[in-house]
Amino acid sequence: MEERKNGTMELERKSFQGVFNILSFNRHFYVLGLCALALLIISHATIEFSDQVFWIIVIAFLYGLIMPLIVSAYVYDFSGYYNFHWLKNSGIDPNARSIVNINAGFDETSFIIKSNFPQSDLKVFDFYDPKRHTEPAIIRARKVSLTYPNTVEIKTSIIPLEDNSVDIIFLLSAAHEIRNYKEKVVFLKECYRICKPSGKVVMIEHLRDFPNFLAFSIGFTHFFSRSTWKSAFIKAGFGTFDETKFTPFMSVFNVEP
């Protein structure tokens, strides 16, 4: 991390940082998976059963452990996600003045947003609630996350800004941490309330779809389907809901009032 001339700080990502994050934040899954694999190997040495079945199970275990790391390296380390290359196709006004970035306690994007919109008034909010958002991965992520200056902790039901005051609201790989559908709608209603009629919400998410099933196996249930997100945005009052694929595994949603 280095200090910039304008007094802010910018995050310098290390090589394969996305993979290291996945390993670190989800290490409980990998420990359990490796233990289960070890037990399988021991049982095969002591109990007679088909070699074919044994190797099918071993390959399935290895696939489930390794494939998420390969996909994560592709998405987070090699696709340009943190270079914001996807912004070029989002129709975002580069001169937008009022910008909000909302995270779930792990913020890797606010410094980057500020570097892309240096003249903007960027406000950062963190909706993490330890009573509601209990995923072990996000708890670990919070311990190593950088905090953008003047980040405000909020509840998902209240964003402390005036009506129709924001040009762009960024929800970057964060909104899926709101697990309850009703809470999602309440949160998106707040986004709708503060968004200018000419503004937009830019959300990036993995989806609960076939490519992400291939990538994360049962872990794809941590994400939500396109239809779930569309329904929640429409119930919140938004009128336009456009999706652009950013890699086969992530979607950029441009949502407007």
Side-chain angles (χ1 to χ4, degrees), residues 19-35:
V19 172
F20 290 135
N21 284 346
I22 295 295
L23 280 171
S24 176
F25 303 157
N26 298 282
R27 56 183 178 268
H28 54 295
F29 288 121
Y30 285 90
V31 169
L32 290 174
L34 291 173
C35 288

Side-chain angles (χ1 to χ4, degrees), residues 3-4 15 39 44 62 69 72 86 107 122 131 184 212-213 220-221 227 231 234 236 238 247 253:
E3 188 167 357
R4 295 176 60 84
S15 299
L39 287 174
H44 183 60
L62 292 176
L69 300 181
S72 296
W86 47 269
D107 186 0
L122 173 62
K131 293 182 179 179
K184 273 189 184 64
N212 281 292
F213 171 72
F220 90 134
T221 58
S227 61
S231 171
I234 290 174
F238 288 92
T247 80
F253 294 98

Side-chain angles (χ1 to χ4, degrees), residues 226-237:
R226 182 185 189 278
S227 61
T228 296
W229 284 119
K230 183 175 181 179
S231 171
F233 272 103
I234 290 174
K235 283 191 175 182

Side-chain angles (χ1 to χ4, degrees), residues 13-23 26 30 65-83 108 206 212 215-216 246-250:
R13 293 182 62 81
K14 299 176 182 178
S15 299
F16 295 99
Q17 185 171 331
V19 172
F20 290 135
N21 284 346
I22 295 295
L23 280 171
N26 298 282
Y30 285 90
L65 293 173
I66 295 172
M67 185 56 67
L69 300 181
I70 294 174
V71 172
S72 296
Y74 168 49
V75 171
Y76 296 110
D77 297 312
F78 295 105
S79 69
Y81 175 65
Y82 288 102
N83 293 330
E108 288 191 300
H206 291 281
N212 281 292
F216 301 105
F246 176 72
T247 80
F249 308 102
M250 295 190 83

Side-chain angles (χ1 to χ4, degrees), residues 113-124:
I113 290 171
K114 185 61 177 178
S115 70
N116 278 271
F117 300 89
Q119 304 304 318
S120 68
D121 173 21
L122 173 62
K123 293 182 174 62
V124 180

